[in-house]
């Protein structure tokens, strides 16, 4: 954290208020370097790792700079994975909550029509994976002529995944009169080339003080035979007794095996891998964020983009095959200044992978002994107690920012020729309510949703039961979603 304060920047009251609710007290290093320049519309190449606060470093200036009145998208954020797209959308929605910024995520495997409908309404920021963004561009469901900001997030990973052609095609389709920001944990040649080709004298920002992994993480290594891993896992979890824990495996099969073992042993756990439906994947991640269970067993699909406050312990049940993956997996803990522990299980023949990881992170992983049976016995009572208690998530940012918001559902929309202004006109006339209390409005064919802010939901709900919108009587209720 730096000496600066968010109040020192030219940021509106609405955004400052959201930062206060999110408990972002002072800017992180990357934020203190990026925000002032981004607010001046400079092209930037930023070398920063996940966990450094990089999402808010572009989320804050973008939310500040977009014009609320404009209907078409003004900022496009490209991410390598669907999970990250959803996370970035959530972060920007939270930051822009009181300015009523509408951010939409578009990614594969979700119905195109749903995204098309969302994009046809007022949208300030679009966050998406390259393939689906390109689809929307080709089918002309994503208007590009008002795009003023392009952000490419985790660019190295984007290119590793072979998205270079899509990324270039998207860039070429955008207005040239725009600001481009590239974020990347590493800056290999292909990333540099991309920047050189499409950016205007970008300023390079490097977050020098941290290594590839955050120094808030305590790393260790335990050598174990493959057949002994499950029992080691149980011993380690008893001794560590984490409030929350992610366990990474190399394959879906291993995830299933570990999950079944833990489940049978009474652990509060869920699993996540690419073999599950996308909807289930999001549901599991959401459940973990909400604190519905303590242990998440996963493949590398969960290694990126999930921002869960304070995962206490990360266990590499299998050594990751790629050095970068070690950094991403362990980066789920020790975030935003919190402390965390990362323990890697290694079989005797995995030395070559470990060497590559150690060279990459710049230090040797300290080897420790497996917990002794006495240690396990000593930890048992406390462990059982945790297992039988509900996990409490102290810092669910989205829940906090939404606590004064009520989403109302109206049973009429486009087909009844109702537009957003009709709701604003009607609701702002209710005594004690102003236009400032109205949040995001979504109008579908046969229904509409209106967010009411500042704890005024009940007043509006009551009033609207007796009020017409554009001369039409609509049924109103508190929305379930
Ligand atoms: P990121 O690197 O964008 O994935 O962010 C890492 C974590 O830091 C997320 O949980 C953010 O919500 C949190 N965060 C970002 N900026 C700040 C800040 N200025 N103060 C405290 N937490 C922050």
């Amino acid at each position: 954290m730096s000496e600066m304060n968010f109040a020192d920047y030219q940021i509106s009251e609405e955004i400052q208020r959201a930062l206060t609710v999110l408990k972002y007290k002072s800017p992180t290093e990357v934020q203190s370097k990026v925000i002032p320049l981004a607010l001046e519309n400079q092209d930037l190449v930023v070398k920063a790792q996940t966990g450094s606060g990089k999402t808010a470093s572009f989320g804050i200036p973008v939310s500040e700079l977009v014009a609320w009145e404009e209907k078409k998208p003004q900022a496009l954020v490209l991410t390598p994975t669907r999970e990250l797209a959803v996370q970035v959308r959530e972060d920007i929605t939270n930051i822009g909550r009181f300015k009523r910024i509408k951010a939409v995520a578009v990614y594969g495997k979700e119905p195109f029509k749903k995204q098309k409908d969302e994009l046809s309404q007022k949208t300030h920021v679009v966050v998406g994976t390259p393939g689906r963004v390109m689809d929307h561009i080709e089918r002309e469901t994503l208007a590009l002529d008002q795009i003023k900001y392009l952000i490419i997030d985790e660019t190295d990973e984007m290119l590793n995944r072979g998205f270079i052609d899509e990324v270039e095609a998207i860039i070429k389709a955008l207005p040239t009169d725009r600001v481009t920001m590239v974020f990347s944990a590493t800056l290999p040649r292909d990333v540099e080339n991309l920047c050189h080709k499409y950016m205007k004298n970008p300023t390079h920002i490097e977050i020098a003080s941290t290594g590839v992994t955050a120094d808030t993480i305590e790393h260790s290594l335990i050598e174990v035979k493959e057949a002994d891993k499950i029992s080691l896992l149980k011993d380690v979890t008893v001794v560590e007794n984490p409030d929350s824990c992610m366990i990474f495996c190399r394959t879906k099969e291993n995830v299933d095996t570990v999950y079944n073992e833990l489940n049978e042993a009474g652990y509060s756990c869920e699993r996540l891998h690419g073999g599950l439906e996308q909807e289930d994947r999001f549901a599991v991640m959401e459940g973990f964020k909400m604190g519905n269970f303590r242990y998440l067993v996963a493949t590398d699909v969960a290694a990126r983009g999930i921002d869960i406050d304070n995962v206490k312990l990360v266990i590499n049940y299998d050594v990751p095959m790629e050095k970068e993956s070690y950094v991403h997996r362990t980066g789920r803990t020790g975030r935003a200044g919190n402390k965390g522990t990362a323990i890697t299980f290694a079989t005797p023949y995995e030395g070559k992978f470990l060497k590559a990881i150690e060279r990459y992170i710049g230090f040797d992983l300290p080897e420790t002994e497996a917990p002794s049976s006495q240690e396990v016995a000593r930890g048992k009572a406390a462990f059982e107690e945790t297992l039988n208690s509900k996990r409490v998530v102290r810092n669910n940012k989205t829940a906090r920012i939404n606590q004064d918001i009520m989403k109302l559902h109206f049973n009429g929309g486009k087909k009844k020729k109702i537009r957003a202004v009709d709701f604003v006109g009607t609701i702002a006339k209710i005594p004690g309510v102003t236009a400032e209390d109205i949040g995001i409005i979504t109008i579908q064919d046969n229904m509409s949703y209106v967010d009411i802010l500042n704890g005024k939901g009940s007043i509006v709900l009551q009033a609207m039961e007796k009020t017409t919108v554009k001369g039409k009587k609509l049924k109103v209720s508190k929305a379930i979603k």
Side-chain angles (χ1 to χ4, degrees), residues 1 6 22-28 31 49-56 91 307 309 335-336 397:
M1 302 284 162
F6 284 115
L22 291 167
K23 297 200 178 146
Y24 291 2
K25 292 202 178 69
S26 53
T28 64
Q31 289 162 4
Q49 71 219 45
T50 170
S52 59
K54 69 180 166 59
T55 315
D91 286 353
D307 177 26
D309 278 303
R335 294 171 79 72
K397 297 189 260 304

Side-chain angles (χ1 to χ4, degrees), residues 1 6 19 22-31 35 48-58 60 84 87-88 91 94-95 153-154 305-310 331-332 335-338 395 397:
M1 302 284 162
F6 284 115
L19 299 179
L22 291 167
K23 297 200 178 146
Y24 291 2
K25 292 202 178 69
S26 53
T28 64
E29 188 184 355
V30 64
Q31 289 162 4
I35 294 172
Q49 71 219 45
T50 170
S52 59
K54 69 180 166 59
T55 315
S57 80
F58 61 82
I60 293 170
L84 185 59
Q87 181 68 53
V88 170
D91 286 353
N94 287 345
I95 291 167
D153 198 8
E154 303 207 342
I306 312 186
D307 177 26
I308 302 139
D309 278 303
N310 236 351
R332 298 305 102 202
R335 294 171 79 72
N338 289 309
N395 190 17
K397 297 189 260 304

